[in-house]
Amino acid sequence: MTTPLLQIRNLHVRLEDDPSVEIIKGIDLTIMPGEVHSIMGPNGSGKSTLAQVLAGKEDYEITEGEILFNGQDLTELGPDERANSGIFLAFQYPVEIPGVSAMQFLKAAVNAKRAFEGQNELDAGALLKHFRAKAEQINVPFEMLKRNVNEGFSGGEKKRFEIFQMAVLDSVLGILDESDSGLDIDALRIVADGVNSMRDGRRSFLVITHYQRLLNYIVPDHVHVLVNGRIVKSGGKELALELEEKGYRPFGVNESAVAGAGA
Amino acid sequence: MTNLMDKPVSMLDVPVPAGPAWLEAYRSRARSRFPGFPTLRDEAWRYTNITPILETPFQPAISAARDVSADDVQHVRVPELDSSLLVFVNGRYRADLSDADELGKGVVSLPLHEAVRSHAELLEEHLGTASGEHEDPFTTLNDAMVSDGLFVHVSDGARPDRPIEVLSIATRTAEPVASHPRNLVVVGKEARATVLEHYVTLDDDAVYLNNAVTELIAAPSATVEHYLLERESERAFNISTLAIRQAAESVVHSHTVLLGGRIVRNNVTPVLAGERAHCLINGLYVGHREQHLDNAMRVRHAAPQCESRQYYKGIMNDRSRGVFTGRIVVDKIAQKTDAIQSNRNMLLSDDARVNARPQLEIYADDVRCTHGATTGRVDDEAVFYFMSRGLSEPVARAMLVYAFAAEGFDRMELVPVRRLLAAEMIDKLPMARGLSIEV
Amino acid sequence: MTTTEEVARLSHERREYKYGFVTDIEQEFAPPGLDESTVRFISAKKGEPEWLLEWRLKALAKWQEMEEPTWVFLPYGHPPIDYQALSYYAAPKQSPKSLDEVDPKILETYEKLGIPLSETRALLGIEGGPETPAEARRGVAVDAVFDSVSVKTTFQEELKKAGVIFCSISEAVREHPELVRQYLGSVVPYSDNFFATLNSAVFSDGSFVYVPRGVKCPMELSTYFRINARNTGQFERTLIIADEGAEVSYLEGCTAPMRDENQLHAAVVELVAMKGASIKYSTIQNWYPGDETGKGGIYNFVTKRGICKGDDSRISWTQVETGSAITWKYPSVVLQGDRSKGEFYSVALTNLRQQADTGTKMIHIGRDTKSTIVSKGISAGEGQNTYRGLVQMNKGAHRAHNFTQCDSILIGDKCGAHTFPYVDIRNATATAEHEASTTKLAEDQLFYCTARGISNEDAISLLVNGFCKEVFSELPMEFAVEANKLLAVSLEGSVG
């Protein structure tokens, strides 16, 4: 039997600063290599927290359960070790870093991963070649690499740059945290095309979104509905359409009441 | 000025070479108005204690204890910068080490002591016109001691084919040397010039004072870029004043980077005196150990529709202290002023300290003036972002501290200067060593 | 918002400076001049204990060595103050024991000022329509200070039931000497600065509040200051102590008669917040500002400081400064307790030839302390408005944070707006953010309002009010309404 790429068992998470706030209240999720899963949920359901916990953000405390990546426990690993193991978080709000060019940033990241894997650093020529190939694949103008990381990027550019980074780092699990937020339809399509170009039966994706729209372009194998820190329903891609039609109301969610609570 | 130190000014008693009558008169006027040295009770100097300067028994510029070779010059000048080079060693002009060829038609670039003879009229006309705007005791002291430095005159429409670099090299001397470099840069209508003041040392333990005054006078539509690279010995003192006077539609960019020095004071005082003038004041101060780096900006909008931008950043480590005072003054006449001032500081140690005083003094109503000052650490969100791309925490932090410093480099035209600064930063920031960064 | 008609009516009153009348009562004065005998005179008048006299005399000796500060930014300067020509004590001849004994003329004065000293009247609430929220109709306990003495403190009985002490400081010296002795000068030492030291030597009266452990003060407390006598300075002293877990909200208001000569007001306010306590102090200052040539008006040189002594305590200053010829005050917070919070919300308006140099100091000593500064300056006429503030993070102030926002607007081209913040950071984990802007009223916003049929003056009033909203929302309801009106009136005539 194949080892799951990601296996989450009975995961409970609370805020480190305020232990009275439990955000994730027991999640089980198994992602096999090559699968695309989508987690849908209203604002405040814990979607983004899940993404951040998987990437190793320190503001949260895991009180129960485990996260296995390729059969290995992740929870003790730092964010850099997780990234080097092949996990990639596409941020909902990528941070702008004036003063560091995208090129410098990616060189450092690629070589960090190679060092982690016990390989030699790539020289400048090999890196450039690698970047060019990936830029073409993800449909990112190469010029973007000469700008500072995310600085002055439009919403669409930021999201494209995230996907491009995943391609450059050759990560095997892409966690897309609301990659559709703030994008017009053209930008959305470019982001989706980038993701689809990386679907090769080996890589997996966890697509986190509030709306079904993105899933028209990145078609999931499994859809899970997350409400109040728990997965309340799982199904195939048709579940997303059902949600689109009926909203989260059938799951006891009053959207207007939680709107603005933050994801 | 009030509250000045009541102390005999030995530095004024130092003989300077005699000059023509007008220059003697200029010096003598300065002597008589010298108010004494400032103390901490003086608002403009309340964070900088100059007692260590006053307690040092300075000598006038004397012949160097050891000779400086052409190789030394190559070693310390900005690498790969094709500049017209004027070299001063311990305050004395060294024609033999300089490389100040013709810079093209309409451009005069000379040591000041030569210009006193050859261009007396221009000198007399302009000397003191920009620096008189905002009197400071050290400027007055420099006035009283004016003898050498750089003189640049660019005629209307002319443009030198290379930047002009004034390299002040300090070496260890038997007695501490006090020099008072005086630079006068006059740029004509629609003319263009780039001037770089560069202070370096060959001996890290050399004790000396550079009290420099640069006057920059920009005619209508002139474009001037000025650099101050301060890489003094960490036992030395540097007081630098850049006084700028801008006519209509002129553009002046000033870049200051303070890296060395024990006590450093950097004054930048532009006056936007003609309509639609633009000035950029870009600065970085990076302190460690016991360094004290004080920056005093005073941007005066004296004409309508001018634009000024101030971006100053400080990184303080160990027991160092950074000071930033930035004042925007908007005269009643200066309607439609657009002024922005930003000062950001990063503390890398609990023993480091920052004092920031961002100030606005505004007398016109139709203006848009903002200032912001922040002091903090590396942004944790950014660290997480970098780590989520596989970089270790120390590398992520080092890159971010470097990035904080380097942000202002992009505003500099001269790429060789950027490269030099990147290397200097990596050398100076403790966590940044080993970063491979290209500019 | 305040309508044009209302502004017209109110501003007519202001042109006369509505509060500029003089109350004709028999008063007792100290002879002009200041020396040891003056201090002994004041202390004897009040029947003070020896320790307090000693304290005053120490202050006097210190003051005699001090010089008036010169660092204040006053583009118009001010004529020198002759401290020997002032009288340091003025009091109504009869000192009242109860409301019935208060000189009817004084009661009338406070009625005119809109400060009801009669408790029944106050209980019925302040003038307000039926839509006035219930909260605004709550009783407000008032301590009225007339020149040098407190003439009446209302609601004392009711407060007593809750355990709250609210009385004049003279009374507190008699009734609660241990509390006064423990805290007087503990936040603002007698040697603090020229004007605070002067106040320490000659302070005549003021308010005293003590809220015991765990008590939430059941009503707003308020002091109303009134300068009446000619050639007198007013030197009141206020001391507020909130014991562990206590809460109190305190308001002060000020007016003075219209006189051609300048009058000096040099008050000291000290606040002490113990563990978990919260003190909110609001001021509406409408001293006589002088006329448009800069003649007359109050010199408002005040020292206000609070200490968050205990962990998790909080002190909040809110001020609306529209009066005085010169204002010189920096209500400050010393954040000593861990996780304590300091706040400063200020609107300062200068019109005519008024000069204001005001702001705050936030001194962070404890860990995880937070301070917020919101300052709104409005300059009109020939007014000169300066924000001056200090944010200091000491070595032990781990993770302390400050946010400062300082905005100024200029109305007309003869005024000035200035910002002089000082930031001093000595801890690498502390963060401070300072933002400031100076602009004129946005023309597009003005146009938008006038395009909807709002008159230019109303639109300005509306926009200025919006500009100040963040600060007004910190005021107790009835004061917010008052502040809004005051602003509209103070601005009137400043627009061409």
Side-chain angles (χ1 to χ4, degrees):
Chain A
M1 196 189 130
T2 331
T3 315
L5 183 63
L6 181 75
Q7 194 162 24
I8 301 174
R9 287 189 194 140
N10 189 31
L11 183 70
H12 289 255
V13 173
R14 63 185 186 190
L15 280 181
E16 199 173 63
D17 280 353
D18 186 355
S20 66
V21 182
E22 187 172 51
I23 301 174
I24 291 173
K25 302 167 183 169
I27 285 183
D28 290 279
L29 181 69
T30 302
I31 299 179
M32 300 304 288
E35 287 182 349
V36 174
H37 287 240
S38 174
I39 288 193
M40 298 182 70
N43 293 327
S45 59
K47 307 189 294 286
S48 282
T49 300
L50 179 63
Q52 306 248 316
V53 167
L54 290 175
K57 185 101 201 228
E58 282 175 358
D59 302 354
Y60 304 100
E61 189 192 342
I62 295 175
T63 53
E64 228 184 306
E66 58 182 2
I67 305 169
L68 301 177
F69 184 68
N70 277 326
Q72 301 284 318
D73 185 14
L74 260 191
T75 46
E76 291 305 311
L77 297 184
D80 49 337
E81 293 163 309
R82 297 181 196 209
N84 288 326
S85 310
I87 292 183
F88 184 90
L89 171 63
F91 283 61
Q92 185 179 2
Y93 303 109
V95 187
E96 298 196 13
I97 322 270
V100 178
S101 78
M103 189 84 88
Q104 279 171 26
F105 175 60
L106 284 173
K107 274 185 188 173
V110 167
N111 282 326
K113 187 174 184 193
R114 291 183 67 85
F116 183 82
E117 290 167 348
Q119 301 183 66
N120 291 334
E121 291 198 349
L122 282 182
D123 65 34
L127 275 167
L128 271 183
K129 205 172 147 198
H130 179 57
F131 292 163
R132 276 189 201 284
K134 296 299 173 185
E136 203 163 305
Q137 180 190 337
I138 306 298
N139 197 5
V140 162
F142 192 70
E143 290 302 304
M144 203 181 234
L145 272 78
K146 294 181 182 162
R147 293 163 67 183
N148 289 331
V149 178
N150 293 322
E151 191 189 25
F153 285 18
S154 70
E157 284 175 324
K158 281 183 183 163
K159 300 295 164 74
R160 270 154 77 182
F161 185 56
E162 293 288 291
I163 302 302
F164 169 68
Q165 289 177 48
M166 178 174 169
V168 164
L169 295 173
D170 197 22
S171 311
V172 290
L173 174 64
I175 302 162
L176 312 186
D177 187 8
E178 310 231 12
S179 293
D180 50 337
S181 66
L183 297 193
D184 64 28
I185 196 72
D186 292 329
L188 188 71
R189 195 170 287 157
I190 294 173
V191 167
D193 287 349
V195 170
N196 289 330
S197 77
M198 284 191 275
R199 291 181 70 171
D200 56 4
R202 179 179 68 98
R203 274 204 189 84
S204 302
F205 288 88
L206 181 59
V207 182
I208 289 171
T209 182
H210 186 114
Y211 301 105
Q212 182 266 342
R213 191 175 69 149
L214 178 66
L215 305 182
N216 288 335
Y217 300 95
I218 306 173
V219 180
D221 303 303
H222 302 276
V223 173
H224 312 275
V225 182
L226 186 68
V227 173
N228 196 19
R230 292 188 182 90
I231 290 176
V232 292
K233 193 171 184 182
S234 296
K237 62 184 175 201
E238 65 289 343
L239 180 56
L241 294 167
E242 193 186 315
L243 276 173
E244 180 74 359
E245 198 184 317
K246 297 185 183 150
Y248 293 102
R249 216 172 269 274
F251 303 101
V253 176
N254 182 355
E255 277 278 58
S256 62
V258 290
Chain B
M1 264 206 151
T2 53
N3 301 328
L4 291 160
M5 189 169 273
D6 187 20
K7 192 180 158 113
V9 184
S10 59
M11 271 183 266
L12 279 177
D13 300 331
V14 164
V16 280
W22 70 266
L23 188 59
E24 287 302 326
Y26 184 91
R27 290 169 175 164
S28 131
R29 279 197 303 276
R31 269 163 199 278
S32 58
R33 69 168 191 275
F34 183 75
F37 286 104
T39 70
L40 296 180
R41 296 181 66 196
D42 221 299
E43 182 66 11
W45 288 84
R46 71 185 275 164
Y47 298 117
T48 298
N49 182 357
I50 58 163
T51 310
I53 302 180
L54 301 181
E55 283 174 351
T56 306
F58 289 111
Q59 300 298 312
I62 46 170
S63 36
R66 72 157 157 141
D67 201 24
V68 172
S69 68
D71 275 354
D72 291 330
V73 171
Q74 287 311 312
H75 185 65
V76 292
R77 70 184 293 190
V78 179
E80 294 163 45
L81 179 69
D82 179 18
S83 61
S84 164
L85 187 70
L86 286 86
V87 177
F88 291 80
V89 175
N90 299 329
R92 289 276 166 86
Y93 181 64
R94 288 283 297 268
D96 58 320
L97 297 173
S98 301
D99 173 20
D101 293 344
E102 288 295 305
L103 284 163
K105 213 174 146 223
V107 183
V108 175
S109 171
L110 296 169
L112 193 81
H113 75 270
E114 281 179 33
V116 167
R117 292 196 301 269
S118 58
H119 295 78
E121 270 178 34
L122 279 174
L123 219 62
E124 195 177 349
E125 180 189 343
H126 292 289
L127 195 70
T129 54
S131 64
E133 155 75 16
H134 191 62
E135 200 93 331
D136 176 274
F138 283 95
T139 307
T140 311
L141 178 63
N142 182 290
D143 281 335
M145 310 295 287
V146 170
S147 55
D148 212 348
L150 168 73
F151 173 73
V152 173
H153 186 270
V154 183
S155 307
D156 293 353
R159 46 188 64 186
D161 53 18
R162 277 170 296 162
I164 299 159
E165 179 177 358
V166 186
L167 184 63
S168 295
I169 302 174
T171 63
R172 191 187 301 124
T173 48
E175 300 292 338
V177 172
S179 317
H180 304 272
R182 180 64 171 240
N183 306 313
L184 176 62
V185 178
V186 182
V187 183
K189 279 183 200 161
E190 291 171 21
R192 195 178 265 272
T194 299
V195 175
L196 201 140
E197 278 180 73
H198 191 177
Y199 297 89
V200 294
T201 184
L202 294 181
D203 299 296
D204 288 337
D205 57 354
V207 179
Y208 55 92
L209 165 71
N210 271 316
N211 172 35
V213 172
T214 298
E215 291 185 87
L216 204 162
I217 295 155
S221 302
T223 303
V224 189
E225 194 174 32
H226 177 270
Y227 293 80
L228 173 73
L229 307 184
E230 182 273 304
R231 300 160 69 201
E232 307 276 29
S233 136
E234 284 182 27
R235 295 184 64 192
F237 310 103
N238 180 297
I239 314 276
S240 285
T241 298
L242 174 63
I244 304 169
R245 190 163 182 88
Q246 291 187 243
E249 296 183 28
S250 60
V251 176
V252 173
H253 289 189
S254 144
H255 310 282
T256 301
V257 180
L258 308 183
L259 294 168
R262 175 177 169 194
I263 296 173
V264 177
R265 165 75 166 218
N266 161 42
N267 300 305
V268 181
T269 60
V271 178
L272 296 132
E275 292 189 14
R276 288 179 299 282
H278 173 94
C279 98
L280 165 74
I281 295 181
N282 182 29
L284 174 69
Y285 43 105
V286 184
H288 65 182
R289 298 184 190 131
E290 313 283 346
Q291 284 186 285
H292 184 104
L293 309 174
D294 180 356
N295 301 277
M297 313 286 114
R298 187 177 194 274
V299 177
R300 182 173 152 217
H301 284 257
Q305 295 179 57
C306 295
E307 205 175 69
S308 66
R309 297 287 180 266
Q310 296 178 60
Y311 304 106
Y312 257 69
K313 282 187 164 184
I315 300 176
M316 310 315 293
N317 200 359
D318 303 332
R319 292 161 304 282
S320 64
R321 184 166 174 189
V323 180
F324 175 84
T325 306
R327 182 175 291 209
I328 300 172
V329 181
V330 179
D331 290 0
K332 198 171 272 192
I333 187 182
Q335 296 293 357
K336 307 269 182 213
T337 285
D338 181 347
I340 293 177
Q341 179 195 85
S342 154
N343 173 232
R344 295 174 61 198
N345 298 288
M346 203 178 253
L347 293 181
L348 301 184
S349 141
D350 266 351
D351 295 320
R353 182 171 173 188
V354 159
N355 290 96
R357 286 185 296 178
Q359 308 175 328
L360 302 173
E361 187 179 335
I362 293 168
Y363 299 95
D365 64 331
D366 189 2
V367 299
R368 179 172 293 277
C369 299
T370 63
H371 67 210
T374 60
T375 300
R377 289 173 293 168
V378 176
D379 176 18
D380 286 337
E381 289 298 315
V383 172
F384 177 63
Y385 189 76
F386 274 44
M387 288 179 74
S388 76
R389 299 300 178 252
L391 302 173
S392 70
E393 186 167 343
V395 171
R397 289 194 182 273
M399 277 185 93
L400 287 164
V401 174
Y402 172 82
F404 177 82
E407 202 188 346
F409 297 169
D410 290 351
R411 301 189 187 101
M412 302 177 180
E413 294 276 328
L414 298 178
V415 175
V417 174
R418 292 193 207 175
R419 280 199 203 112
L420 170 67
L421 292 173
E424 290 278 320
M425 291 310 309
I426 287 169
D427 205 38
K428 186 157 185 181
L429 296 175
M431 301 180 294
R433 287 206 185 119
L435 276 189
S436 85
I437 280 172
E438 288 148 36
V439 178
Chain C
M1 125 187 204
T2 311
T3 63
T4 311
E5 297 87 79
E6 209 175 335
V7 169
R9 179 178 59 76
L10 292 168
S11 66
H12 172 75
E13 287 167 354
R14 175 156 173 120
R15 221 161 285 136
E16 324 263 299
Y17 182 70
K18 182 179 171 186
Y19 310 108
F21 58 86
V22 177
T23 309
D24 183 18
I25 55 154
E26 256 196 289
Q27 282 188 302
E28 184 175 34
F29 293 95
L34 177 54
D35 57 22
E36 210 180 297
S37 66
T38 325
V39 172
R40 288 184 185 279
F41 171 84
I42 294 168
S43 190
K45 268 280 157 205
K46 306 197 136 319
E48 286 175 354
E50 190 60 25
W51 65 264
L52 188 50
L53 175 64
E54 289 303 315
W55 192 75
R56 287 177 180 274
L57 290 172
K58 266 198 295 184
L60 178 71
K62 175 77 190 171
W63 182 76
Q64 283 163 339
E65 299 165 2
M66 293 170 107
E67 279 174 35
E68 201 181 312
T70 53
W71 49 263
V72 184
F73 189 73
L74 302 172
Y76 303 136
H78 67 81
I81 302 170
D82 182 353
Y83 294 92
Q84 295 306 329
L86 288 177
S87 169
Y88 289 85
Y89 185 79
K93 275 230 164 112
Q94 282 151 343
S95 74
K97 294 281 177 296
S98 76
L99 192 64
D100 306 332
E101 288 175 36
V102 175
D103 187 321
K105 280 182 181 150
I106 294 178
L107 281 186
E108 204 180 297
T109 302
Y110 281 93
E111 291 287 331
K112 264 199 218 175
L113 295 168
I115 314 294
L117 292 185
S118 133
E119 295 179 10
T120 40
R121 170 123 192 260
L123 271 174
L124 292 174
I126 326 160
E127 315 142 70
E131 76 284 357
T132 313
E135 203 192 2
R137 267 185 265 133
R138 253 183 339 178
V140 175
V142 179
D143 181 20
V145 177
F146 195 82
D147 289 327
S148 302
V149 295
S150 167
V151 290
K152 171 67 190 160
T153 309
T154 62
F155 287 104
Q156 270 179 314
E157 280 309 307
E158 195 171 327
L159 288 166
K160 211 178 212 170
K161 265 183 246 160
V164 175
I165 302 169
F166 179 39
C167 60
S168 72
I169 201 147
S170 316
E171 191 182 332
V173 169
R174 289 192 303 271
E175 307 292 327
H176 311 282
E178 68 302 335
L179 283 174
V180 177
R181 196 167 181 178
Q182 184 180 354
Y183 292 107
L184 186 74
S186 70
V187 190
V188 180
Y190 72 85
S191 55
D192 193 78
N193 70 73
F194 183 81
F195 294 107
T197 302
L198 175 61
N199 173 291
S200 302
V202 303
F203 77 90
S204 41
D205 218 332
S207 304
F208 175 83
V209 178
Y210 174 79
V211 187
R213 190 177 290 212
V215 171
K216 289 194 166 102
C217 188
M219 63 181 79
E220 305 276 355
L221 304 183
S222 164
T223 300
Y224 199 84
F225 295 108
R226 172 72 182 169
I227 296 180
N228 187 59
R230 183 184 294 268
N231 293 333
T232 32
Q234 185 165 10
F235 305 95
E236 82 275 359
R237 184 123 195 157
T238 297
L239 176 55
I240 301 177
I241 302 135
D243 216 326
E244 289 186 13
E247 271 179 38
V248 60
S249 168
Y250 186 91
L251 327 166
E252 66 171 10
C254 334
T255 58
M258 210 159 123
R259 298 192 188 278
D260 280 351
E261 63 274 15
N262 299 106
Q263 283 182 289
L264 178 63
H265 173 250
V268 172
V269 176
E270 298 178 273
L271 311 181
V272 181
M274 310 304 277
K275 191 176 170 191
S278 161
I279 302 176
K280 185 173 174 65
Y281 194 105
S282 313
T283 303
I284 292 197
Q285 183 265 110
N286 187 26
W287 295 118
Y288 176 56
D291 67 11
E292 63 276 9
T293 65
K295 197 169 176 193
I298 301 290
Y299 292 159
N300 188 33
F301 300 159
V302 168
T303 306
K304 291 183 169 176
R305 192 177 304 149
I307 180 163
C308 285
K309 223 179 166 77
D311 294 350
D312 302 294
S313 55
R314 173 177 170 174
I315 289 179
S316 175
W317 297 101
T318 304
Q319 61 173 25
V320 177
E321 303 280 325
T322 59
S324 297
I326 299 175
T327 295
W328 184 94
K329 68 180 268 206
Y330 314 93
S332 306
V333 185
V334 178
L335 296 139
Q336 192 181 74
D338 292 347
R339 296 174 302 282
S340 58
K341 284 197 174 74
E343 292 165 6
F344 174 75
Y345 297 93
S346 167
V347 166
L349 180 146
T350 51
N351 197 351
L352 308 165
R353 268 175 85 84
Q354 285 175 268
Q355 307 181 85
D357 187 320
T358 183
T360 185
K361 294 183 200 173
M362 294 289 175
I363 313 293
H364 292 253
I365 298 170
R367 293 163 176 257
D368 296 292
T369 46
K370 279 202 169 63
S371 62
T372 304
I373 300 171
V374 176
S375 161
K376 305 282 181 177
I378 302 147
S379 306
E382 294 177 49
Q384 297 288 344
N385 205 328
T386 299
Y387 169 82
R388 184 186 303 274
L390 169 69
V391 172
Q392 183 177 315
M393 310 281 190
N394 288 4
K395 242 181 153 56
H398 299 294
R399 294 173 303 279
H401 180 71
N402 162 266
F403 174 73
T404 301
Q405 189 184 334
C406 249
D407 297 320
S408 309
I409 46 175
L410 297 118
I411 303 172
D413 59 2
K414 294 195 186 79
C415 50
H418 319 295
T419 314
F420 303 132
Y422 296 70
V423 184
D424 187 345
I425 313 283
R426 309 173 197 185
N427 182 299
T429 62
T431 49
E433 289 173 66
H434 175 100
E435 284 173 17
S437 72
T438 301
T439 51
K440 71 171 185 171
L441 273 185
E443 276 185 2
D444 51 344
Q445 291 173 359
L446 262 183
F447 178 72
Y448 188 84
C449 293
T450 45
R452 296 289 174 269
I454 301 168
S455 77
N456 204 41
E457 290 230 319
D458 281 357
I460 288 173
S461 162
L462 186 76
L463 293 177
V464 168
N465 208 263
F467 175 73
C468 299
K469 199 165 187 169
E470 258 176 290
V471 174
F472 287 172
S473 66
E474 293 295 321
L475 288 169
M477 183 76 75
E478 59 272 41
F479 260 41
V481 174
E482 202 55 40
N484 188 346
K485 281 186 192 156
L486 192 57
L487 210 63
V489 173
S490 306
L491 271 175
E492 208 271 341
S494 62
V495 210

